[in-house]
Amino acid sequence: MTLIECAGCTLIAYGIPFSMFVFTIAHHPFRIIISMTSAFFWLLSLLVSSLLWFAVVPLRNQLAFSVPFAVLFQEIFRYLFYVIIK
């Protein structure tokens, strides 16, 4: 029963994104490259924001400090990705 429940929850959680990938992105190799590199840039922005969070020890408990910088780094990396693709 747990295997069937796991499969059902997995299909509920990932069914819509998987079908969107299959019907919109999978047929075009350039779109696959774009989506993978954009995900990589997003992970890089999270890495930079976590390094900032780790470096500033006194402000680790302040959520109001870390969230704006995380959003700022995501926007900077989004612009860098646009510049590289352009």
Side-chain angles (χ1 to χ4, degrees):
M1 184 65 181
T2 58
L3 186 61
I4 295 171
E5 183 179 359
C6 178
C9 290
T10 302
L11 289 175
I12 289 171
Y14 297 113
I16 294 172
F18 180 71
S19 64
M20 288 174 60
F21 175 78
V22 167
F23 291 120
T24 60
I25 295 175
H27 300 294
H28 305 284
F30 186 70
R31 288 185 185 171
I32 294 173
I33 294 169
I34 294 293
S35 64
M36 292 299 125
T37 54
S38 66
F40 177 71
F41 270 79
W42 181 70
L43 286 174
L44 281 179
S45 71
L46 286 180
L47 175 68
V48 171
S49 65
S50 66
L51 287 176
L52 178 73
W53 176 82
F54 190 72
V56 182
V57 177
L59 295 175
R60 283 190 187 170
N61 296 330
Q62 301 295 327
L63 189 62
F65 168 74
S66 59
V67 171
F69 280 104
V71 171
L72 180 71
F73 286 136
Q74 286 181 10
E75 294 301 322
I76 289 170
F77 275 87
R78 184 178 295 157
Y79 179 72
L80 288 175
F81 178 67
Y82 171 74
V83 168
I84 289 174
I85 291 299
K86 193 68 174 168

